[in-house]
mmCIF file of all heavy atoms in Angstrom:
data_model
loop_
_atom_site.group_PDB
_atom_site.id
_atom_site.type_symbol
_atom_site.label_atom_id
_atom_site.label_comp_id
_atom_site.label_asym_id
_atom_site.label_seq_id
_atom_site.Cartn_x
_atom_site.Cartn_y
_atom_site.Cartn_z
ATOM 1 N N ARG A 15 -23.278 -10.660 -14.584
ATOM 2 C CA ARG A 15 -24.415 -10.996 -15.330
ATOM 3 C C ARG A 15 -23.976 -11.477 -16.641
ATOM 4 O O ARG A 15 -22.996 -11.033 -17.230
ATOM 5 C CB ARG A 15 -25.181 -9.797 -15.486
ATOM 6 C CG ARG A 15 -25.822 -9.311 -14.325
ATOM 7 C CD ARG A 15 -26.877 -8.130 -14.536
ATOM 8 N NE ARG A 15 -27.422 -7.672 -13.380
ATOM 9 C CZ ARG A 15 -28.614 -8.079 -12.925
ATOM 10 N NH1 ARG A 15 -29.266 -9.138 -13.593
ATOM 11 N NH2 ARG A 15 -29.125 -7.712 -11.849
ATOM 12 N N ASN A 16 -24.618 -12.495 -17.191
ATOM 13 C CA ASN A 16 -24.203 -12.986 -18.546
ATOM 14 C C ASN A 16 -25.229 -12.327 -19.503
ATOM 15 O O ASN A 16 -26.021 -11.438 -19.082
ATOM 16 C CB ASN A 16 -24.260 -14.467 -18.635
ATOM 17 C CG ASN A 16 -25.662 -15.022 -18.413
ATOM 18 O OD1 ASN A 16 -26.651 -14.344 -18.324
ATOM 19 N ND2 ASN A 16 -25.700 -16.382 -17.974
ATOM 20 N N ASN A 17 -25.152 -12.702 -20.689
ATOM 21 C CA ASN A 17 -25.996 -12.038 -21.844
ATOM 22 C C ASN A 17 -27.546 -12.307 -21.466
ATOM 23 O O ASN A 17 -28.368 -11.561 -22.048
ATOM 24 C CB ASN A 17 -25.698 -12.633 -23.160
ATOM 25 C CG ASN A 17 -24.220 -12.199 -23.631
ATOM 26 O OD1 ASN A 17 -23.762 -11.236 -23.090
ATOM 27 N ND2 ASN A 17 -23.654 -12.831 -24.484
ATOM 28 N N ASN A 18 -27.851 -13.309 -20.799
ATOM 29 C CA ASN A 18 -29.260 -13.545 -20.551
ATOM 30 C C ASN A 18 -29.682 -12.830 -19.294
ATOM 31 O O ASN A 18 -30.784 -13.007 -18.673
ATOM 32 C CB ASN A 18 -29.487 -15.073 -20.281
ATOM 33 C CG ASN A 18 -29.225 -15.822 -21.544
ATOM 34 O OD1 ASN A 18 -29.359 -15.408 -22.664
ATOM 35 N ND2 ASN A 18 -28.778 -17.105 -21.245
ATOM 36 N N HIS A 19 -28.941 -11.941 -18.722
ATOM 37 C CA HIS A 19 -29.215 -11.159 -17.497
ATOM 38 C C HIS A 19 -29.491 -11.973 -16.297
ATOM 39 O O HIS A 19 -30.175 -11.600 -15.428
ATOM 40 C CB HIS A 19 -30.288 -10.204 -17.720
ATOM 41 C CG HIS A 19 -30.006 -9.199 -18.872
ATOM 42 N ND1 HIS A 19 -28.928 -8.293 -18.754
ATOM 43 C CD2 HIS A 19 -30.470 -9.090 -20.076
ATOM 44 C CE1 HIS A 19 -28.948 -7.541 -20.010
ATOM 45 N NE2 HIS A 19 -29.813 -8.041 -20.820
ATOM 46 N N GLN A 20 -28.934 -13.187 -16.260
ATOM 47 C CA GLN A 20 -29.086 -13.997 -15.077
ATOM 48 C C GLN A 20 -27.684 -13.890 -14.306
ATOM 49 O O GLN A 20 -26.593 -13.676 -14.738
ATOM 50 C CB GLN A 20 -29.215 -15.457 -15.371
ATOM 51 C CG GLN A 20 -30.416 -15.764 -16.202
ATOM 52 C CD GLN A 20 -30.548 -17.179 -16.736
ATOM 53 O OE1 GLN A 20 -29.555 -17.878 -16.696
ATOM 54 N NE2 GLN A 20 -31.604 -17.559 -17.149
ATOM 55 N N VAL A 21 -27.795 -13.938 -12.960
ATOM 56 C CA VAL A 21 -26.726 -13.759 -12.111
ATOM 57 C C VAL A 21 -26.032 -15.210 -11.852
ATOM 58 O O VAL A 21 -26.687 -16.113 -11.544
ATOM 59 C CB VAL A 21 -27.209 -13.188 -10.725
ATOM 60 C CG1 VAL A 21 -25.938 -13.127 -9.811
ATOM 61 C CG2 VAL A 21 -27.857 -11.884 -10.879
ATOM 62 N N ASN A 22 -24.625 -15.250 -12.223
ATOM 63 C CA ASN A 22 -23.990 -16.395 -11.868
ATOM 64 C C ASN A 22 -23.605 -16.380 -10.384
ATOM 65 O O ASN A 22 -23.541 -15.595 -9.704
ATOM 66 C CB ASN A 22 -22.614 -16.323 -12.737
ATOM 67 C CG ASN A 22 -22.851 -16.434 -14.214
ATOM 68 O OD1 ASN A 22 -23.862 -17.078 -14.610
ATOM 69 N ND2 ASN A 22 -21.930 -16.026 -14.991
ATOM 70 N N ALA A 23 -23.479 -17.735 -9.973
ATOM 71 C CA ALA A 23 -23.067 -17.969 -8.606
ATOM 72 C C ALA A 23 -21.764 -17.381 -8.327
ATOM 73 O O ALA A 23 -20.813 -17.254 -9.185
ATOM 74 C CB ALA A 23 -22.979 -19.473 -8.328
ATOM 75 N N TYR A 24 -21.528 -16.861 -7.138
ATOM 76 C CA TYR A 24 -20.313 -16.282 -6.693
ATOM 77 C C TYR A 24 -19.203 -17.333 -6.741
ATOM 78 O O TYR A 24 -19.385 -18.408 -6.066
ATOM 79 C CB TYR A 24 -20.361 -15.554 -5.311
ATOM 80 C CG TYR A 24 -19.162 -15.000 -4.698
ATOM 81 C CD1 TYR A 24 -18.487 -14.152 -5.265
ATOM 82 C CD2 TYR A 24 -18.564 -15.837 -3.578
ATOM 83 C CE1 TYR A 24 -17.214 -13.678 -4.833
ATOM 84 C CE2 TYR A 24 -17.477 -15.275 -3.019
ATOM 85 C CZ TYR A 24 -16.834 -14.335 -3.584
ATOM 86 O OH TYR A 24 -15.593 -13.858 -3.092
ATOM 87 N N ASN A 25 -18.119 -17.051 -7.318
ATOM 88 C CA ASN A 25 -17.020 -17.977 -7.394
ATOM 89 C C ASN A 25 -15.666 -17.244 -6.864
ATOM 90 O O ASN A 25 -15.123 -16.425 -7.641
ATOM 91 C CB ASN A 25 -16.802 -18.504 -8.865
ATOM 92 C CG ASN A 25 -15.642 -19.496 -8.898
ATOM 93 O OD1 ASN A 25 -14.788 -19.640 -8.057
ATOM 94 N ND2 ASN A 25 -15.618 -20.227 -9.950
ATOM 95 N N PRO A 26 -15.269 -17.457 -5.626
ATOM 96 C CA PRO A 26 -14.164 -16.648 -5.105
ATOM 97 C C PRO A 26 -12.805 -17.080 -5.837
ATOM 98 O O PRO A 26 -12.040 -16.048 -5.987
ATOM 99 C CB PRO A 26 -14.117 -17.123 -3.606
ATOM 100 C CG PRO A 26 -14.809 -18.342 -3.565
ATOM 101 C CD PRO A 26 -15.781 -18.273 -4.606
ATOM 102 N N PHE A 27 -12.746 -18.204 -6.440
ATOM 103 C CA PHE A 27 -11.469 -18.552 -7.042
ATOM 104 C C PHE A 27 -11.379 -17.693 -8.410
ATOM 105 O O PHE A 27 -10.311 -17.294 -8.748
ATOM 106 C CB PHE A 27 -11.411 -20.036 -7.378
ATOM 107 C CG PHE A 27 -11.464 -20.898 -6.093
ATOM 108 C CD1 PHE A 27 -12.566 -21.528 -5.663
ATOM 109 C CD2 PHE A 27 -10.329 -20.861 -5.274
ATOM 110 C CE1 PHE A 27 -12.536 -22.277 -4.489
ATOM 111 C CE2 PHE A 27 -10.359 -21.552 -4.084
ATOM 112 C CZ PHE A 27 -11.373 -22.247 -3.770
ATOM 113 N N ARG A 28 -12.523 -17.655 -9.133
ATOM 114 C CA ARG A 28 -12.445 -16.811 -10.429
ATOM 115 C C ARG A 28 -12.075 -15.428 -10.030
ATOM 116 O O ARG A 28 -11.362 -14.776 -10.833
ATOM 117 C CB ARG A 28 -13.884 -16.926 -11.049
ATOM 118 C CG ARG A 28 -13.917 -16.284 -12.366
ATOM 119 C CD ARG A 28 -15.261 -16.189 -13.113
ATOM 120 N NE ARG A 28 -16.278 -15.610 -12.219
ATOM 121 C CZ ARG A 28 -17.432 -15.939 -12.012
ATOM 122 N NH1 ARG A 28 -17.869 -17.127 -12.401
ATOM 123 N NH2 ARG A 28 -18.175 -15.230 -11.261
ATOM 124 N N GLU A 29 -12.830 -14.870 -9.050
ATOM 125 C CA GLU A 29 -12.453 -13.543 -8.674
ATOM 126 C C GLU A 29 -11.037 -13.240 -8.265
ATOM 127 O O GLU A 29 -10.421 -12.189 -8.605
ATOM 128 C CB GLU A 29 -13.414 -12.998 -7.525
ATOM 129 C CG GLU A 29 -14.888 -13.117 -7.818
ATOM 130 C CD GLU A 29 -15.299 -12.314 -9.016
ATOM 131 O OE1 GLU A 29 -14.705 -11.212 -9.280
ATOM 132 O OE2 GLU A 29 -16.356 -12.557 -9.555
ATOM 133 N N MET A 30 -10.453 -14.205 -7.633
ATOM 134 C CA MET A 30 -9.037 -14.006 -7.113
ATOM 135 C C MET A 30 -8.129 -14.295 -8.422
ATOM 136 O O MET A 30 -7.148 -13.459 -8.494
ATOM 137 C CB MET A 30 -8.680 -15.086 -6.125
ATOM 138 C CG MET A 30 -9.294 -14.804 -4.797
ATOM 139 S SD MET A 30 -8.848 -13.168 -4.161
ATOM 140 C CE MET A 30 -7.119 -13.373 -3.914
ATOM 141 N N GLU A 31 -8.484 -15.073 -9.338
ATOM 142 C CA GLU A 31 -7.740 -15.254 -10.520
ATOM 143 C C GLU A 31 -7.656 -13.874 -11.280
ATOM 144 O O GLU A 31 -6.642 -13.522 -11.850
ATOM 145 C CB GLU A 31 -8.243 -16.375 -11.399
ATOM 146 C CG GLU A 31 -7.894 -17.739 -10.838
ATOM 147 C CD GLU A 31 -8.663 -18.860 -11.664
ATOM 148 O OE1 GLU A 31 -9.339 -18.500 -12.606
ATOM 149 O OE2 GLU A 31 -8.439 -20.038 -11.312
ATOM 150 N N GLU A 32 -8.898 -13.300 -11.417
ATOM 151 C CA GLU A 32 -8.984 -12.002 -12.184
ATOM 152 C C GLU A 32 -8.148 -10.949 -11.402
ATOM 153 O O GLU A 32 -7.467 -10.128 -12.022
ATOM 154 C CB GLU A 32 -10.458 -11.566 -12.293
ATOM 155 C CG GLU A 32 -11.177 -12.308 -13.249
ATOM 156 C CD GLU A 32 -12.599 -11.812 -13.492
ATOM 157 O OE1 GLU A 32 -12.870 -10.671 -13.198
ATOM 158 O OE2 GLU A 32 -13.365 -12.619 -13.634
ATOM 159 N N LEU A 33 -8.308 -10.874 -10.062
ATOM 160 C CA LEU A 33 -7.518 -9.787 -9.311
ATOM 161 C C LEU A 33 -6.086 -10.108 -9.550
ATOM 162 O O LEU A 33 -5.281 -9.138 -9.748
ATOM 163 C CB LEU A 33 -7.842 -9.994 -7.956
ATOM 164 C CG LEU A 33 -7.233 -9.118 -6.937
ATOM 165 C CD1 LEU A 33 -7.512 -7.569 -7.225
ATOM 166 C CD2 LEU A 33 -7.422 -9.441 -5.439
ATOM 167 N N GLU A 34 -5.642 -11.330 -9.483
ATOM 168 C CA GLU A 34 -4.146 -11.641 -9.592
ATOM 169 C C GLU A 34 -3.740 -11.273 -11.079
ATOM 170 O O GLU A 34 -2.603 -10.686 -11.299
ATOM 171 C CB GLU A 34 -3.916 -13.057 -9.377
ATOM 172 C CG GLU A 34 -2.400 -13.513 -9.433
ATOM 173 C CD GLU A 34 -2.329 -15.096 -9.264
ATOM 174 O OE1 GLU A 34 -3.180 -15.643 -8.747
ATOM 175 O OE2 GLU A 34 -1.221 -15.570 -9.442
ATOM 176 N N ARG A 35 -4.504 -11.568 -12.129
ATOM 177 C CA ARG A 35 -4.146 -11.290 -13.521
ATOM 178 C C ARG A 35 -3.996 -9.827 -13.607
ATOM 179 O O ARG A 35 -3.063 -9.309 -14.240
ATOM 180 C CB ARG A 35 -5.193 -11.886 -14.308
ATOM 181 C CG ARG A 35 -4.892 -11.743 -15.939
ATOM 182 C CD ARG A 35 -5.857 -12.521 -16.832
ATOM 183 N NE ARG A 35 -7.298 -12.324 -16.572
ATOM 184 C CZ ARG A 35 -8.107 -13.168 -16.068
ATOM 185 N NH1 ARG A 35 -7.527 -14.360 -15.759
ATOM 186 N NH2 ARG A 35 -9.284 -12.920 -15.732
ATOM 187 N N HIS A 36 -5.041 -9.037 -13.163
ATOM 188 C CA HIS A 36 -4.980 -7.544 -13.213
ATOM 189 C C HIS A 36 -3.781 -7.016 -12.564
ATOM 190 O O HIS A 36 -3.202 -6.085 -13.114
ATOM 191 C CB HIS A 36 -6.209 -6.941 -12.776
ATOM 192 C CG HIS A 36 -7.406 -7.152 -13.705
ATOM 193 N ND1 HIS A 36 -7.413 -6.701 -15.020
ATOM 194 C CD2 HIS A 36 -8.634 -7.791 -13.498
ATOM 195 C CE1 HIS A 36 -8.619 -6.990 -15.535
ATOM 196 N NE2 HIS A 36 -9.354 -7.735 -14.692
ATOM 197 N N PHE A 37 -3.454 -7.527 -11.357
ATOM 198 C CA PHE A 37 -2.279 -7.005 -10.645
ATOM 199 C C PHE A 37 -1.046 -7.260 -11.326
ATOM 200 O O PHE A 37 -0.237 -6.269 -11.364
ATOM 201 C CB PHE A 37 -2.350 -7.685 -9.172
ATOM 202 C CG PHE A 37 -1.199 -7.195 -8.389
ATOM 203 C CD1 PHE A 37 -1.258 -5.966 -7.807
ATOM 204 C CD2 PHE A 37 0.046 -7.894 -8.325
ATOM 205 C CE1 PHE A 37 -0.125 -5.397 -7.076
ATOM 206 C CE2 PHE A 37 1.138 -7.336 -7.672
ATOM 207 C CZ PHE A 37 1.015 -6.078 -6.986
ATOM 208 N N PHE A 38 -0.731 -8.462 -11.825
ATOM 209 C CA PHE A 38 0.422 -8.752 -12.445
ATOM 210 C C PHE A 38 0.521 -8.173 -13.845
ATOM 211 O O PHE A 38 1.689 -7.930 -14.391
ATOM 212 C CB PHE A 38 0.836 -10.159 -12.401
ATOM 213 C CG PHE A 38 1.161 -10.656 -11.000
ATOM 214 C CD1 PHE A 38 0.374 -11.419 -10.244
ATOM 215 C CD2 PHE A 38 2.308 -10.260 -10.334
ATOM 216 C CE1 PHE A 38 0.653 -11.801 -9.004
ATOM 217 C CE2 PHE A 38 2.631 -10.548 -9.098
ATOM 218 C CZ PHE A 38 1.804 -11.412 -8.485
ATOM 219 N N ASP A 39 -0.571 -7.884 -14.570
ATOM 220 C CA ASP A 39 -0.550 -7.340 -15.892
ATOM 221 C C ASP A 39 -0.179 -5.834 -15.697
ATOM 222 O O ASP A 39 0.486 -5.369 -16.489
ATOM 223 C CB ASP A 39 -1.902 -7.569 -16.565
ATOM 224 C CG ASP A 39 -1.935 -8.957 -17.045
ATOM 225 O OD1 ASP A 39 -1.035 -9.702 -17.124
ATOM 226 O OD2 ASP A 39 -3.152 -9.311 -17.436
ATOM 227 N N ASP A 40 -0.819 -5.179 -14.715
ATOM 228 C CA ASP A 40 -0.717 -3.766 -14.517
ATOM 229 C C ASP A 40 -0.762 -3.519 -12.968
ATOM 230 O O ASP A 40 -1.805 -3.196 -12.566
ATOM 231 C CB ASP A 40 -1.800 -3.047 -15.248
ATOM 232 C CG ASP A 40 -1.581 -1.461 -15.204
ATOM 233 O OD1 ASP A 40 -0.480 -0.969 -14.734
ATOM 234 O OD2 ASP A 40 -2.511 -0.756 -15.587
ATOM 235 N N PRO A 41 0.444 -3.652 -12.269
ATOM 236 C CA PRO A 41 0.359 -3.605 -10.933
ATOM 237 C C PRO A 41 -0.209 -2.231 -10.272
ATOM 238 O O PRO A 41 -0.719 -2.289 -9.247
ATOM 239 C CB PRO A 41 1.868 -3.845 -10.507
ATOM 240 C CG PRO A 41 2.652 -3.547 -11.654
ATOM 241 C CD PRO A 41 1.718 -3.786 -12.731
ATOM 242 N N PHE A 42 -0.107 -1.129 -11.127
ATOM 243 C CA PHE A 42 -0.566 0.044 -10.460
ATOM 244 C C PHE A 42 -1.969 0.472 -10.941
ATOM 245 O O PHE A 42 -2.561 1.481 -10.728
ATOM 246 C CB PHE A 42 0.415 1.223 -10.695
ATOM 247 C CG PHE A 42 1.715 0.972 -9.975
ATOM 248 C CD1 PHE A 42 2.860 0.541 -10.755
ATOM 249 C CD2 PHE A 42 1.716 0.931 -8.611
ATOM 250 C CE1 PHE A 42 4.004 0.305 -10.075
ATOM 251 C CE2 PHE A 42 3.005 0.682 -7.973
ATOM 252 C CZ PHE A 42 4.075 0.387 -8.679
ATOM 253 N N GLY A 43 -2.478 -0.429 -11.784
ATOM 254 C CA GLY A 43 -3.924 -0.188 -12.364
ATOM 255 C C GLY A 43 -4.141 1.179 -12.749
ATOM 256 O O GLY A 43 -3.398 1.731 -13.682
ATOM 257 N N SER A 44 -5.194 1.775 -12.233
ATOM 258 C CA SER A 44 -5.656 3.091 -12.645
ATOM 259 C C SER A 44 -4.836 4.150 -11.953
ATOM 260 O O SER A 44 -5.126 5.408 -12.247
ATOM 261 C CB SER A 44 -7.101 3.269 -12.372
ATOM 262 O OG SER A 44 -7.358 3.299 -11.096
ATOM 263 N N PHE A 45 -3.895 3.800 -11.072
ATOM 264 C CA PHE A 45 -3.161 5.010 -10.349
ATOM 265 C C PHE A 45 -2.458 5.928 -11.419
ATOM 266 O O PHE A 45 -2.415 7.086 -11.063
ATOM 267 C CB PHE A 45 -2.160 4.409 -9.528
ATOM 268 C CG PHE A 45 -2.738 3.801 -8.212
ATOM 269 C CD1 PHE A 45 -2.492 2.448 -7.981
ATOM 270 C CD2 PHE A 45 -3.553 4.454 -7.406
ATOM 271 C CE1 PHE A 45 -3.015 1.896 -6.781
ATOM 272 C CE2 PHE A 45 -4.224 3.802 -6.298
ATOM 273 C CZ PHE A 45 -3.783 2.612 -6.030
ATOM 274 N N PHE A 46 -1.904 5.399 -12.511
ATOM 275 C CA PHE A 46 -1.204 6.254 -13.408
ATOM 276 C C PHE A 46 -2.240 7.174 -14.174
ATOM 277 O O PHE A 46 -1.880 8.129 -14.808
ATOM 278 C CB PHE A 46 -0.235 5.525 -14.306
ATOM 279 C CG PHE A 46 0.974 5.105 -13.526
ATOM 280 C CD1 PHE A 46 1.317 3.805 -13.389
ATOM 281 C CD2 PHE A 46 1.774 6.042 -12.944
ATOM 282 C CE1 PHE A 46 2.490 3.454 -12.797
ATOM 283 C CE2 PHE A 46 2.935 5.685 -12.328
ATOM 284 C CZ PHE A 46 3.236 4.291 -12.218
ATOM 285 N N GLY A 47 -3.466 6.672 -14.301
ATOM 286 C CA GLY A 47 -4.438 7.478 -14.926
ATOM 287 C C GLY A 47 -4.890 8.737 -14.215
ATOM 288 O O GLY A 47 -5.458 9.508 -14.670
ATOM 289 N N THR A 48 -4.699 8.662 -12.891
ATOM 290 C CA THR A 48 -5.020 9.735 -11.976
ATOM 291 C C THR A 48 -3.792 10.464 -11.543
ATOM 292 O O THR A 48 -2.644 10.125 -12.007
ATOM 293 C CB THR A 48 -5.778 9.348 -10.856
ATOM 294 O OG1 THR A 48 -4.953 8.402 -9.965
ATOM 295 C CG2 THR A 48 -7.009 8.578 -11.275
ATOM 296 N N SER A 49 -3.829 11.427 -10.743
ATOM 297 C CA SER A 49 -2.691 12.118 -10.338
ATOM 298 C C SER A 49 -2.239 11.666 -8.908
ATOM 299 O O SER A 49 -1.511 12.301 -8.276
ATOM 300 C CB SER A 49 -3.072 13.670 -10.164
ATOM 301 O OG SER A 49 -4.145 13.880 -9.246
ATOM 302 N N ASP A 50 -2.771 10.441 -8.496
ATOM 303 C CA ASP A 50 -2.358 10.002 -7.100
ATOM 304 C C ASP A 50 -0.811 9.863 -7.029
ATOM 305 O O ASP A 50 -0.335 10.132 -5.912
ATOM 306 C CB ASP A 50 -2.944 8.589 -6.834
ATOM 307 C CG ASP A 50 -4.521 8.804 -6.661
ATOM 308 O OD1 ASP A 50 -4.995 9.908 -6.446
ATOM 309 O OD2 ASP A 50 -5.209 7.717 -6.556
ATOM 310 N N LEU A 51 -0.152 9.324 -7.926
ATOM 311 C CA LEU A 51 1.314 9.237 -7.791
ATOM 312 C C LEU A 51 1.992 10.390 -8.414
ATOM 313 O O LEU A 51 3.217 10.627 -8.081
ATOM 314 C CB LEU A 51 1.802 7.982 -8.592
ATOM 315 C CG LEU A 51 1.416 6.614 -7.832
ATOM 316 C CD1 LEU A 51 1.749 5.401 -8.713
ATOM 317 C CD2 LEU A 51 1.856 6.514 -6.505
ATOM 318 N N ALA A 52 1.424 11.137 -9.249
ATOM 319 C CA ALA A 52 2.004 12.319 -9.781
ATOM 320 C C ALA A 52 2.092 13.482 -8.826
ATOM 321 O O ALA A 52 2.901 14.415 -8.980
ATOM 322 C CB ALA A 52 1.276 12.794 -10.970
ATOM 323 N N GLU A 53 1.222 13.527 -7.729
ATOM 324 C CA GLU A 53 1.258 14.584 -6.751
ATOM 325 C C GLU A 53 1.537 13.961 -5.398
ATOM 326 O O GLU A 53 1.095 12.835 -5.094
ATOM 327 C CB GLU A 53 -0.030 15.297 -6.772
ATOM 328 C CG GLU A 53 -0.348 16.073 -7.987
ATOM 329 C CD GLU A 53 -1.611 16.886 -7.837
ATOM 330 O OE1 GLU A 53 -2.489 16.561 -6.809
ATOM 331 O OE2 GLU A 53 -1.828 17.737 -8.659
ATOM 332 N N PHE A 54 2.167 14.659 -4.575
ATOM 333 C CA PHE A 54 2.275 14.229 -3.101
ATOM 334 C C PHE A 54 1.226 14.956 -2.445
ATOM 335 O O PHE A 54 0.663 15.960 -2.706
ATOM 336 C CB PHE A 54 3.712 14.622 -2.608
ATOM 337 C CG PHE A 54 4.187 15.979 -2.897
ATOM 338 C CD1 PHE A 54 3.795 16.994 -2.056
ATOM 339 C CD2 PHE A 54 4.873 16.218 -4.030
ATOM 340 C CE1 PHE A 54 4.320 18.230 -2.481
ATOM 341 C CE2 PHE A 54 5.286 17.504 -4.422
ATOM 342 C CZ PHE A 54 5.035 18.540 -3.475
#
Side-chain angles (χ1 to χ4, degrees):
R15 294 186 178 268
N16 62 16
N17 291 338
N18 297 330
H19 301 290
Q20 295 173 348
V21 177
N22 290 336
Y24 172 66
N25 182 343
F27 298 108
R28 182 182 63 226
E29 301 298 333
M30 287 306 294
E31 286 174 2
E32 286 183 29
L33 179 65
E34 183 179 349
R35 184 174 48 253
H36 287 297
F37 178 79
F38 287 110
D39 287 345
D40 186 10
F42 297 108
S44 63
F45 288 124
F46 286 119
T48 66
S49 62
D50 286 349
L51 289 177
E53 292 183 346
F54 45 86

